[in-house]
């Protein structure tokens, strides 16, 4: 069975993991802090509560997502929303990214699809529409609501299909791979300069570990989550000058998957050196990203590679944490490199079978309204950059957020996308299969010391990925060459003129 509840906070990670192991669960767990008032329903049962008005005349709207970085602000929003809409009851469930994909598929197949939910990471809008997951928002939202969004937050195949608006992106895309450093940990280890290069970073991590007698480590990360390790590897390789796309995006370099490029080998070599030195927190491969974030804040490591969402969490739970933000380290002697600029991604959509689309749309419009303070609160706390420009102008006050935003802007570049050359690339992404072990799994193997010959593993991944990409291209009638961008200069943004030059 699965739990449903109103606007509650975060369950301990241990409880979430325990819940996810129970047999027959339609929903593995809820990242929520309280248990009072929880309701339960048998998995596999149809959802009459969604289709009917409650006995007291209220309508229940069910919302599921993975937005743990904004949970405190979301709780405040839900409380105020229900006070102002006494006819609407919100049941909000928060999962981890890893839990979400299988969970949402199970919920929909069992007839328990929530009214509002995001597209899982790695799935395209086209695929979701083919599966009849969503209905257009257009009939239910106002023109005033639409007009407040940054035009860059709308994109064909991401938020829109033709004139129909299907998903709202949660945030303006910001890279998720900058490094946080604990200033107190660095000071205690006698490190006065923030590292910029691979060698400086390796030396700093080694010094922190040695100076603490093994009580504090150089680097900690959410090594249990392959998505985080994939981001880490791709950003380090890009910073080393490699031509590689963002997570879940396919780009080729000289006609093949770029996983065994010199840049990627350099990145893996740096991580392998950290492991060899004993500078990585020993149990990193068994730690989730939220756990790593907590342990960093508790002074157990000097460096952490994660996204802007950490800032709000630390502001709430560790207001005295003395930390800074730094760019992704680069190989010694390299300058003018980049990491992949964040790409717009789909988020919340309205379930095609929702029996209360009007009320669900009311929730969405309030979530993005300045009146309720959710957007402004998240920007002020440093949770994200809003898709509402006026909110950012008024409320971006957190210094660490400003630093993160500035460094991200200065060190990231727009990379090309095959979907901009041929819309059949969307069909390709639906067709293509994941190759195992994945890039994230190889990084995990390095961190756990189960993989020592990482170069061979990278070559296997490149060979297998290249073959699968060619197969998927042929299956959907896509020219494999659309993934190759010979005029791509990694030191600058890829532009509309660059796409035009390839025609």
């Amino acid at each position: 069975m699965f739990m449903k509840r109103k606007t509650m906070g975060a369950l301990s990670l241990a409880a979430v993991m325990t819940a996810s192991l129970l047999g027959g669960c339609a929903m593995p767990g809820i990242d929520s802090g309280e248990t009072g008032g929880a309701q339960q329903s048998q998995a596999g049962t149809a959802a009459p509560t969604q289709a009917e008005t409650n006995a007291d005349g209220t309508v229940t709207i069910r919302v599921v997502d993975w937005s743990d970085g904004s949970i405190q602000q979301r709780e405040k929003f839900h409380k105020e929303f229900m006070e102002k809409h006494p006819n609407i009851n919100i049941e909000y469930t928060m999962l981890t990214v890893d839990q979400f994909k299988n969970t949402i598929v199970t919920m929909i197949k069992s007839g328990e699809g929530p009214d509002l939910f995001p597209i899982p990471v790695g799935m395209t809008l086209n695929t979701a529409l083919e599966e009849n997951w969503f209905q257009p928002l257009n009939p239910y939202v106002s023109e005033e609501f639409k007009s407040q969004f940054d035009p860059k937050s709308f994109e064909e195949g991401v938020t829109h299909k033709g004139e129909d608006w299907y998903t709202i992106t949660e945030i303006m895309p910001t890279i998720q791979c900058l490094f946080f450093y604990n200033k107190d940990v660095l000071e205690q280890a006698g490190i006065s300069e923030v590292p910029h290069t691979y060698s400086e970073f390796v030396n700093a991590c080694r010094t922190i570990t040695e100076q603490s007698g093994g009580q504090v480590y150089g680097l900690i990360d959410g090594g249990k989550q392959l998505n985080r390790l994939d981001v880490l590897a791709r950003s380090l390789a890009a910073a080393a000058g490699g031509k590689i796309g963002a997570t879940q995006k396919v780009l080729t370099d000289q006609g093949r998957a770029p996983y065994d490029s010199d840049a990627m080998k350099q990145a893996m070599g740096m991580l392998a050196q950290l492991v060899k030195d004993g500078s990585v927190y020993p149990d990193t491969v068994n730690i989730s990203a939220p756990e790593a974030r907590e342990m960093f804040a508790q002074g157990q490591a000097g460096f952490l590679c994660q996204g802007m969402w950490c800032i709000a969490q630390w502001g709430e739970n560790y207001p005295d944490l003395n930390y800074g933000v730094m760019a992704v380290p680069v190989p010694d002697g390299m300058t003018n490199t980049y990491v992949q600029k964040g790409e717009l991604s789909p988020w919340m959509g309205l379930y095609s079978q929702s029996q209360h689309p009007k009320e669900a749309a009311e929730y969405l419009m309030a979530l993005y309204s300045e009146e309720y303070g959710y957007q402004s609160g998240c920007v002020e706390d440093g949770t994200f950059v809003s898709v509402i420009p006026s909110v950012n102008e008024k409320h971006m006050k957190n210094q660490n957020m400003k630093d993160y935003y500035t460094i991200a802007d200065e060190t990231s570049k727009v990379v090309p996308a095959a979907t901009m050359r041929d819309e059949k690339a969307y069909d390709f992404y639906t067709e293509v299969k994941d190759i195992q072990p994945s890039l994230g799994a190889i990084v995990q193997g390095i961190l756990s010391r189960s993989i020592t010959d990482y170069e061979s593993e990278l070559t296997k991944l490149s060979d297998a990925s290249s073959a699968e990409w060619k197969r998927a291209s042929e299956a959907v009638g896509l020219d494999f060459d659309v993934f190759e961008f010979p005029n791509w200069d990694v030191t600058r943004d890829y532009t509309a003129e660059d796409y035009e030059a390839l025609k």
Side-chain angles (χ1 to χ4, degrees):
M1 60 180 61
F2 63 85
M3 300 179 74
K4 300 188 288 186
R5 53 173 325 252
K6 291 188 207 175
T7 52
M8 304 300 170
L11 209 88
S12 71
L13 188 67
V16 171
M17 294 171 64
T18 301
S20 70
L21 296 174
L22 296 177
C25 290
M27 188 179 299
I30 306 170
D31 210 359
S32 136
E34 303 172 62
T35 56
Q39 303 175 34
Q40 296 185 343
S41 172
Q42 291 295 325
T45 303
T49 54
Q50 180 184 326
E52 300 173 4
T53 302
N54 300 324
D56 61 0
T58 62
V59 166
T60 294
I61 299 299
R62 299 170 60 217
V63 184
V64 180
D65 63 29
W66 57 74
S67 301
D68 73 303
S70 60
I71 185 62
Q72 286 84 12
Q73 291 294 343
R74 199 68 164 272
E75 288 175 348
K76 294 175 186 175
F77 165 73
H78 285 156
K79 184 175 184 293
E80 183 175 354
F81 180 85
M82 288 192 288
E83 286 174 351
K84 292 183 177 180
H85 296 79
N87 64 312
I88 301 177
N89 179 53
I90 302 301
E91 290 184 357
Y92 175 58
T93 301
M94 187 180 66
L95 303 171
T96 67
V97 172
D98 287 348
Q99 289 173 327
F100 181 82
K101 185 172 184 178
N102 290 334
T103 299
I104 199 65
V105 171
T106 300
M107 292 176 74
I108 291 173
K109 285 183 177 179
S110 68
E112 288 279 351
D115 297 275
L116 295 165
F117 61 93
I119 292 181
V121 173
M123 179 180 282
T124 65
L125 175 61
N126 277 14
T127 300
L129 296 183
E130 287 174 4
E131 297 293 327
N132 192 34
W133 281 16
F134 296 114
Q135 59 179 295
L137 295 167
N138 308 55
Y140 305 108
V141 296
S142 68
E143 288 299 323
E144 182 182 3
F145 175 68
K146 296 182 206 175
S147 66
Q148 67 181 333
F149 283 80
D150 188 326
K152 289 187 262 187
S153 69
F154 299 143
E155 186 176 311
E156 177 68 19
V158 177
T159 59
H160 285 66
K161 186 74 171 176
E163 295 299 315
D164 289 326
W165 186 10
Y166 284 98
T167 72
I168 299 180
T169 193
E170 183 179 21
I171 60 176
M172 285 306 289
T174 307
I175 60 176
Q176 303 174 0
C177 58
L178 294 188
F179 281 67
F180 296 100
Y181 59 94
N182 189 312
K183 293 181 179 180
D184 292 337
V185 169
L186 266 62
E187 182 180 353
Q188 289 164 11
I191 300 170
S192 57
E193 298 291 332
V194 176
H196 299 288
T197 66
Y198 278 11
S199 65
E200 290 171 354
F201 184 71
V202 167
N203 289 336
C205 288
R206 184 189 302 121
T207 299
I208 289 168
T209 307
E210 290 177 350
Q211 290 294 323
S212 70
Q215 298 302 304
V216 181
Y217 291 85
L219 177 68
I220 193 169
D221 218 320
K224 183 179 179 180
Q225 294 182 211
L226 296 184
N227 64 306
R228 289 305 314 157
L229 298 183
D230 180 274
V231 169
L232 176 64
R234 287 172 186 269
S235 59
L236 286 170
K243 289 186 172 183
I244 187 165
T247 298
Q248 302 291 340
K249 301 298 181 181
V250 169
L251 293 172
T252 59
D253 186 7
Q254 300 182 40
R256 64 183 269 109
Y259 299 128
D260 61 349
S261 66
D262 288 342
M264 184 62 76
K265 290 175 183 176
Q266 278 186 286
M268 295 295 192
M270 192 268 280
L271 293 174
Q273 185 63 53
L274 291 173
V275 173
K276 181 180 179 182
D277 292 346
S279 300
V280 180
Y281 186 84
D283 203 34
T284 282
V285 295
N286 294 314
I287 296 171
S288 69
E291 286 179 302
R293 182 176 65 216
E294 289 285 309
M295 296 171 76
F296 170 87
Q298 293 164 5
Q300 298 189 47
F303 299 97
L304 170 76
C305 176
Q306 282 196 33
M308 188 181 281
W309 57 80
C310 294
I311 296 170
Q313 291 292 300
W314 289 331
E316 180 74 20
N317 300 319
Y318 298 92
D320 297 326
L321 178 61
N322 186 21
Y323 70 99
V325 185
M326 63 178 242
V328 176
V330 301
D332 294 42
M334 290 201 71
T335 58
N336 199 22
T337 60
Y338 81 108
V339 293
Q340 304 91 334
K341 189 175 285 290
E343 296 184 327
L344 200 68
S345 34
W347 190 54
M348 194 68 75
L350 176 60
Y351 184 37
S352 62
Q353 306 304 314
S354 172
Q355 300 301 306
H356 304 296
K358 181 177 179 294
E359 290 83 0
E362 285 288 334
Y363 175 96
L364 278 180
M365 288 191 286
L367 190 67
Y368 286 87
S369 167
E370 278 199 72
E371 174 190 352
Y372 286 83
Y374 175 72
Q375 295 290 317
S376 58
C378 287
V379 170
E380 287 179 357
D381 287 352
T383 303
F384 56 61
V385 178
S386 177
V387 293
I388 313 297
S390 60
V391 172
N392 295 323
E393 292 167 7
K394 297 176 187 175
H395 300 284
M396 192 181 290
K397 301 174 182 178
N398 183 292
Q399 187 58 51
N400 282 312
M401 185 179 188
K402 290 181 180 179
D403 290 344
Y404 195 108
Y405 186 73
T406 300
I407 295 171
D409 186 59
E410 291 174 348
T411 62
S412 61
K413 304 293 181 185
V414 175
V415 302
T419 50
M420 297 293 289
R421 294 179 73 181
D422 193 330
E423 287 192 358
K424 283 185 179 178
Y426 288 114
D427 297 327
F428 166 87
Y429 283 119
T430 300
E431 171 68 23
V432 72
K433 304 294 188 295
D434 293 335
I435 300 298
Q436 300 300 331
S438 65
L439 182 61
I442 293 173
V443 178
Q444 192 178 67
I446 293 172
L447 297 178
S448 67
R449 301 178 185 262
S450 63
I451 291 178
T452 53
D453 185 4
Y454 57 83
E455 292 194 5
S456 294
E457 293 299 324
L458 291 172
T459 298
K460 291 177 187 175
L461 176 61
S462 294
D463 290 343
S465 296
S466 298
E468 171 57 16
W469 295 354
K470 288 178 181 178
R471 181 207 66 77
S473 297
E474 184 176 348
V476 301
L478 176 68
D479 185 349
F480 184 65
D481 287 342
V482 302
F483 298 110
E484 186 78 16
F485 291 84
N487 62 344
W488 178 15
D489 178 355
V490 299
T491 65
R492 63 177 180 82
D493 289 334
Y494 200 83
T495 66
E497 290 73 21
D498 293 322
Y499 286 111
E500 189 65 28
L502 293 180
K503 292 182 178 178

